[in-house]
Amino acid sequence: MIGRLGSVLTAAVVLSSSGPAHAASEQAVPEIMAALGDSISTGFNACGFFVSCTSRSWSAGDNREVSSHYLRLSELSGTIQKHNHNFAVPGATSADLLGQVRKAVAAKADYVTILIGAQDACTRTEDAMTPVQTYRRRLDAALAELRSGMPQARVFFASIPDVRRLWQVAKDNALARTFWAAGRICQSMLARPTSAKAADTERRARVRARVMAYNRESAAACAAFGPACATDGGAVFSYPFTLRHVSRWDYFHPNVAGQRIIAEETFTRGFEWFDPR
């Protein structure tokens, strides 16, 4: 679903703009965690037809096949067991993040994962994409609310997938094209998937550039939050996902294998955790 960048130069831009992947020091294993974001974090279409499957979420799921952040933390300490909240919502955009943060604060979550922005770029038209400045402003407001309500919370930002990679690996698949058209999925990127016209090629490049800009802004917002925030350094964006990692229900969302990859690529680049007991 996401892919390796097409050139060394592009890779350098993405990774240098994503900030340090690790927090500065070890962190005590959290007692309560919350997943925030959109359908990727709810495990949408990872276990059935157009339903969320939170047990298979890369972040807060409890399915052993995925080996989520929650399960990995549970292996380090028993204090977090059964304290895994998922406040992500399918279709959520950056506009919904503040409300999700308020739920995390109410739950007293001291570890929060955020993957938000795919739906800011995956709109019906290119013009409908969220402006970069608006995206950043919403992130800053959400993080300020989290700091105010849960000043001890640790935050992890996963980078947004490279939706152009999805187009590249699935555009020649008739079923994928059928699902994209029927569901009007991510038309800013996936409209006219077989077209090689300059206008469509340039549109796809602009949508991808918008995703890259969102990733830069989330990394910058994380850096401004301080050492209690970490990112994946662009790992999810850069991963060479294939059709093996995509749900056959819509050829868009990660399946179990895709969720497992996201869990691995993010957890290993996040905080260094220790059990304080």
Side-chain angles (χ1 to χ4, degrees):
M1 191 176 81
I2 6 193
R4 292 198 185 282
L5 307 182
S7 67
V8 173
L9 176 60
T10 306
V13 169
V14 173
L15 296 178
S16 66
S17 67
S18 297
H22 287 277
S25 61
E26 288 188 338
Q27 303 287 323
V29 174
E31 296 185 358
I32 302 170
M33 73 167 294
L36 311 184
D38 55 29
S39 54
I40 297 175
S41 293
T42 71
F44 193 80
N45 274 357
C47 65
F49 183 68
F50 280 75
V51 295
S52 291
C53 191
T54 54
S55 67
R56 298 184 180 185
S57 165
W58 67 272
S59 172
D62 59 9
N63 185 283
R64 292 290 172 185
E65 289 185 83
V66 173
S67 192
S68 68
H69 284 220
Y70 165 68
L71 285 182
R72 292 168 190 246
L73 291 169
S74 296
E75 292 173 357
L76 296 175
S77 171
T79 59
I80 196 173
Q81 290 179 7
K82 306 298 184 183
H83 296 142
N84 52 327
H85 300 281
N86 197 323
F87 299 123
V89 177
T93 70
S94 57
D96 303 299
L97 185 59
L98 180 59
Q100 293 181 16
V101 162
R102 288 171 176 158
K103 291 180 180 179
V105 169
K108 301 188 183 304
D110 56 345
Y111 178 50
V112 173
T113 68
I114 301 174
L115 174 46
I116 195 76
Q119 294 300 320
D120 290 86
C122 278
T123 49
R124 294 292 178 88
T125 66
E126 180 188 350
D127 290 343
M129 293 190 298
T130 301
V132 175
Q133 297 86 347
T134 301
Y135 178 82
R136 175 61 185 274
R137 184 173 66 250
R138 291 168 174 172
L139 263 58
D140 286 340
L143 290 175
E145 182 80 8
L146 183 62
R147 185 184 293 281
S148 175
M150 283 294 292
Q152 74 276 31
R154 277 68 52 85
V155 182
F156 181 85
F157 272 95
S159 54
I160 304 162
D162 182 357
V163 291
R164 193 176 71 174
R165 170 70 181 184
L166 172 68
W167 167 77
Q168 288 174 330
V169 301
K171 63 183 175 63
D172 296 325
N173 185 298
L175 275 176
R177 296 196 303 269
T178 298
F179 276 108
W180 295 346
R184 301 191 67 184
I185 296 172
C186 198
Q187 292 297 281
S188 56
M189 174 64 72
L190 302 177
R192 299 178 293 281
T194 59
S195 172
K197 292 181 178 179
D200 290 311
T201 300
E202 292 165 3
R203 166 178 52 82
R204 296 180 196 115
R206 289 191 297 269
V207 175
R208 184 173 189 261
R210 184 64 59 92
V211 171
M212 293 172 68
Y214 292 160
N215 284 334
R216 285 194 294 270
E217 292 304 324
S218 65
C222 184
F225 191 82
C229 187
T231 77
D232 68 3
V236 172
F237 179 89
S238 302
Y239 191 84
F241 285 87
T242 70
L243 285 181
R244 295 193 308 274
H245 304 114
V246 179
S247 171
R248 291 301 190 269
W249 296 116
D250 61 6
Y251 287 84
F252 183 76
H253 289 91
N255 58 17
V256 172
Q259 291 284 342
R260 182 171 59 249
I261 290 296
I262 297 174
E264 174 70 16
E265 291 294 310
T266 54
F267 191 82
T268 56
R269 290 173 171 81
F271 295 98
E272 296 287 348
W273 302 102
F274 71 95
D275 186 346
R277 297 174 300 169

